């Protein structure tokens, strides 16, 4: 028997309870055809020697903004690690403005007012960039700061804008003057000046994103929301950009793309008098192949905790009188979820606040009662705050919460300030869902926080903020549970557990080769583990010298 590849001399954790460890894997046409003695006597075109290193199924990030991650790599980095204070942020912007052509947009991304003390201010940006439009997207992606030139470029006067717009807010400072901060859908007032990005720019960002993510052992990304530039997505032709990138070899990992709900529309009667709704030609969840697949549809119901725009049932602890808001009024939310559910879509709804969670569950419950479907696997993206009285209903509706481990350390101190000590135990639950039999996926929401899945697994296990404060420590999971979430759990959440997430015959041959065993190191040292190599479909796509081929 002649195979395409044999991966050998490894300590490979399979995720398969019937055979938890193997040392050899045979690969043909990108899939596993056998392990250990099952491939005795086989030869192969490629021999990949792991040198005794541990390996696991390739990491699957269940919620990562691939297009935004790529565009972030092309924009000014304003994250706390790059620019630790507001003076550094302003200095970086001044340098970028000096290098920009007159009138050209200057785009930055990643600042966090929780760490800087406050948001950058329009007045300061006007001083630095009187003529160049500037837009600084917040680390959450749910808001950003613009200067006066940005408003002028869109034919707007910031001082004349109302505070509230449909699905968003235009912030003003304590003196009643515009401060440049645009929350949620208010961002669209200026983002049309630089979005959509060109196909060429999107392709370059995708190439950079693929190479960057493969360094962390990520072999599949589920992208929550494409095709709606200005709110979610960077271009209306993102699916085409991904097709071209895969064909050209620029994108070497696997992509599950979720069209954003706003790109759906009425298809008219599609047969038997049924009213169709969704993407043209009736395409829905599941179309595609093992490289690029249309997954669920993304719905945005509220904002962020660290931005204080999540829809909450009570005031933010550090902002009395503010309970955030819903991006869509509840009747609109119900209608969108009903139509998507009726037309066969898996629905992934961003719901961070507990009020948003109530609205989501009401909508899903009503849709399922009217149009019953077996195992739709609708998802709750983030599920940031969930009250004890909501847990039973999440389970009964068959919903899959998708919380982010990396939020615990990177944004945890801001989360604690937002919810206060009385509600801290409700934040980004994980153990609760596992104890109730829910299949938990693993994700980061990168580039909102860092994409490294091992760092995220570390946080899922240790549950400490950057300041070292425990965050809902009862929600910590074991290393084995965290690893399963990032492999099988994410595959299950994407309806792909039959081809991804475990190492056994018939599965895609995707692996991450590690410097140490995730399940044997001291749990407090998990974040020190490095990815030595990444294998997709039996092909070595990233290697730091861990594989002899």
């Amino acid at each position: 028997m002649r195979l395409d590849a044999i991966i050998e001399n490894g300590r490979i954790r399979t995720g398969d309870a019937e055979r938890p460890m193997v040392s050899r894997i045979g690969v043909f046409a990108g899939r596993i055809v056998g392990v250990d003695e099952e491939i005795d006597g086989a030869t192969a075109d490629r021999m990949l020697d792991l040198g005794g290193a541990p390996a696991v199924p390739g990491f699957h990030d269940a919620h990562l903004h691939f297009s935004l991650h790529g565009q972030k790599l092309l924009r000014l980095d304003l994250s706390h690690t790059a620019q630790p204070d507001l003076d550094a942020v302003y200095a970086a912007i001044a340098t970028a403005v000096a290098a920009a052509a007159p009138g050209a947009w200057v785009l930055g991304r990643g600042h966090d007012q929780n760490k800087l003390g406050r948001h950058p201010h329009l007045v300061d940006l006007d001083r630095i960039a009187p003529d160049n439009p500037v837009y600084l997207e917040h680390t959450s992606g749910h808001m950003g700061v613009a200067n006066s030139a940005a408003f002028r470029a869109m034919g707007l006067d910031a001082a004349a804008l109302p505070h509230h717009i449909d699905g968003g807010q235009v912030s003003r400072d304590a003196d009643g003057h515009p401060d440049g901060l645009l929350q949620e859908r208010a961002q669209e007032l200026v983002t049309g000046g630089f979005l959509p990005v060109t196909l060429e720019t999107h392709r370059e960002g995708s190439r950079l994103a693929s190479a960057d993510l493969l360094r962390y052992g990520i072999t599949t990304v589920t992208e929550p929301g494409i095709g709606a530039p200005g709110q979610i997505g960077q271009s209306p032709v993102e699916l085409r950009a991904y097709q071209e990138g895969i064909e050209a070899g620029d994108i070497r990992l696997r992509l599950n793309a979720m069209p954003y709900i706003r790109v759906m529309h009425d298809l008219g009667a599609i047969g038997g008098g049924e009213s169709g709704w969704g993407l043209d030609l009736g395409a829905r969840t599941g179309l595609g192949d093992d490289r690029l697949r249309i997954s669920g549809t993304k719905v945005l119901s509220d904002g962020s905790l660290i931005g204080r725009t999540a829809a909450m049932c009570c005031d933010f602890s550090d902002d009395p009188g503010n309970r955030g808001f819903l991006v869509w009024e509840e009747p609109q939310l119900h209608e969108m979820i009903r139509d998507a559910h009726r037309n066969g879509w898996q629905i992934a709804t961003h719901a961070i606040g507990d009020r948003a969670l109530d609205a989501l569950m009401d909508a899903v419950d009503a849709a399922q009662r009217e149009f019953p479907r077996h195992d739709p696997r609708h998802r709750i993206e983030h599920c940031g705050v969930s009250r004890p009285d909501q847990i039973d209903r999440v389970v009964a509706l068959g919903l899959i919460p998708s919380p982010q481990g990396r939020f615990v350390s990177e944004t945890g101190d801001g989360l604690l300030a937002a919810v206060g000590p009385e509600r801290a135990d409700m934040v980004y639950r994980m153990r609760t869902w596992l104890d109730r039999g829910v299949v938990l996926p693993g994700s980061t929401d990168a580039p909102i926080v860092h994409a490294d899945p091992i760092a995220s697994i570390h946080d899922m296990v240790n549950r400490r903020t950057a300041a070292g404060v425990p965050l809902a420590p009862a929600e910590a999971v074991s290393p084995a549970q965290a690893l399963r979430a990032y492999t099988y759990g994410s595959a299950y959440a994407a309806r792909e557990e039959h081809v991804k997430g475990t190492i056994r015959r018939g599965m895609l041959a995707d692996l991450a080769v590690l410097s140490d065993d995730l399940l044997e190191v001291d749990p407090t040292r998990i974040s020190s583990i490095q990815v030595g190599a990444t294998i997709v479909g039996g092909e070595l796509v990233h290697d730091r010298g861990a594989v002899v081929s």
Side-chain angles (χ1 to χ4, degrees):
M1 179 170 55
R2 184 73 174 181
L3 304 179
D4 292 332
I6 291 177
I7 303 166
E8 61 182 355
N9 195 18
R11 292 181 287 133
I12 304 168
R13 292 193 177 275
T14 66
D16 182 357
E18 294 184 4
R19 193 161 194 170
M21 294 285 291
V22 299
S23 63
R24 288 190 300 156
I25 298 172
V27 181
F28 184 77
R31 293 184 182 252
I32 298 168
V33 295
V35 298
D36 287 350
E37 80 286 346
E38 295 172 345
I39 58 171
D40 283 348
T43 58
D45 295 336
R46 297 187 306 276
M47 302 295 294
L48 304 179
D49 187 338
L50 304 190
V56 297
F59 296 122
H60 181 160
D61 194 310
H63 185 115
L64 186 150
H65 296 276
F66 186 76
S67 63
L68 183 57
H69 189 73
Q71 295 308 305
K72 176 188 176 182
L73 296 173
L74 296 172
R75 295 175 184 171
L76 185 61
D77 184 2
L78 301 180
S79 64
H80 187 63
T81 53
Q83 319 296 344
D85 56 39
L86 205 52
D87 287 341
V89 168
Y90 287 145
I93 296 166
T95 300
V97 169
W105 281 84
V106 174
L107 305 176
R109 182 174 204 295
H111 78 274
D112 183 353
Q113 87 286 3
N114 295 286
K115 297 176 180 178
L116 295 176
R118 64 176 177 84
H119 289 282
H121 196 285
L122 175 143
V123 170
D124 297 318
L125 295 179
D126 285 353
R127 172 179 49 81
I128 296 169
D131 302 315
N132 286 80
V134 173
Y135 188 70
L136 313 177
E137 187 178 40
H138 186 257
T139 186
S140 68
H142 286 265
M143 61 193 70
V145 181
N147 69 346
S148 294
F151 288 107
R152 289 197 303 270
M154 303 305 294
L156 300 172
D157 176 3
L161 293 171
H163 178 53
H164 295 282
I165 69 165
D166 187 20
Q169 292 188 147
V170 179
S171 177
R172 295 180 178 271
D173 61 23
D175 297 323
H177 300 130
D179 58 15
L181 179 64
L182 303 173
Q183 297 176 315
E184 303 302 335
R185 292 180 64 186
Q187 296 178 90
E188 297 175 34
L189 293 170
V190 300
T191 55
F194 55 88
L195 292 177
V197 301
T198 65
L199 184 59
E200 180 182 1
T201 301
H202 199 292
R203 284 281 310 278
E204 175 61 11
S206 296
R207 183 187 67 79
L208 294 173
S210 175
D212 186 57
L213 298 174
L214 288 171
R215 295 189 301 125
Y216 301 108
I218 298 172
T219 57
T220 297
V221 164
T222 295
E223 178 165 21
I226 64 168
Q231 188 163 16
I232 292 180
Q234 302 294 295
S235 165
V237 293
E238 283 172 312
L239 206 61
R240 172 178 165 180
Y242 294 157
Q243 285 181 293
E244 292 185 3
I246 289 169
E247 290 166 357
D250 295 336
I251 300 174
R252 305 193 70 185
L253 44 66
R254 306 183 193 278
L255 286 173
N256 293 325
M258 291 183 176
Y260 184 52
I261 197 73
R262 286 178 64 184
V263 307
M264 305 286 190
H265 59 96
D266 188 353
L267 302 175
I270 59 173
E274 291 291 325
S275 175
W277 189 87
L279 294 181
D280 287 332
L281 302 179
R284 61 171 174 80
T285 294
L287 180 69
D289 58 22
D290 59 42
R291 294 302 309 278
L292 177 62
R293 178 174 169 270
I294 294 178
S295 189
T297 182
K298 172 71 177 293
V299 180
L300 194 66
S301 74
D302 71 342
S304 79
L305 276 179
I306 60 172
R308 312 304 190 268
T309 57
M312 304 285 279
C313 288
C314 59
D315 294 357
F316 286 101
S317 178
D318 58 354
D319 191 6
N322 177 19
R323 297 189 175 189
F325 53 90
L326 292 171
V327 173
W328 303 98
E329 296 297 330
E330 288 195 52
Q332 291 175 290
L333 185 67
H334 278 238
E335 182 179 4
M336 290 187 296
I337 287 177
R338 173 188 181 274
D339 287 344
H341 172 86
R342 180 185 184 187
N343 282 272
W345 286 90
Q346 182 187 24
I347 305 167
T349 305
H350 168 119
I352 288 186
D354 52 343
R355 181 188 168 207
L357 181 56
D358 279 333
L360 158 64
M361 290 194 293
D362 287 346
V364 169
D365 193 7
Q368 181 72 335
R369 289 176 186 275
E370 187 174 0
F371 303 105
R373 281 175 52 192
H374 173 67
D375 190 24
R377 293 194 203 178
H378 298 321
R379 299 168 40 150
I380 313 166
E381 303 308 298
H382 310 299
C383 200
V385 178
S386 50
R387 303 186 310 269
D389 64 285
Q390 293 175 314
I391 293 170
D392 284 345
R393 194 177 185 200
V394 168
V395 176
L397 289 171
L399 293 166
I400 301 175
S402 181
Q404 287 67 49
R406 192 60 180 160
F407 280 11
V408 173
S409 65
E410 288 203 36
T411 69
D413 295 302
L415 298 177
L416 287 173
V419 301
E422 299 82 6
R423 309 190 84 206
D425 289 344
M426 304 179 195
V427 174
Y428 287 94
R429 298 181 187 272
M430 294 176 189
R431 169 75 70 173
T432 291
W433 306 124
L434 290 176
D435 288 348
R436 296 301 305 274
V438 174
V439 178
L440 183 72
S443 67
T444 58
D445 199 19
I448 309 309
V449 297
H450 201 283
D452 184 359
I454 293 177
S456 192
I457 287 171
H458 177 98
D459 287 343
M460 294 171 74
V461 172
N462 293 284
R463 301 281 305 197
R464 287 189 175 270
T465 72
V469 179
L471 175 57
E475 294 297 332
V477 301
S478 71
Q481 289 170 326
L483 175 60
R484 181 171 172 81
Y486 253 99
T487 51
Y488 177 84
S490 294
Y492 180 88
R495 310 187 70 92
E496 293 184 309
E497 73 276 15
H498 60 292
V499 291
K500 296 177 183 175
T502 53
I503 302 296
R504 55 186 172 82
R505 185 184 301 168
M507 307 294 278
L508 293 166
D510 300 346
L511 292 90
V513 183
L514 309 179
S515 62
D516 210 337
D517 193 320
L518 272 166
L519 307 192
E520 292 184 357
V521 300
D522 182 328
T524 63
R525 292 186 53 251
I526 288 174
S527 61
S528 67
I529 295 174
Q530 301 293 311
V531 172
T534 305
I535 297 170
V536 176
E539 295 188 14
L540 188 62
V541 294
H542 167 72
D543 185 24
R544 297 178 58 192
V547 175
V548 178
S549 58

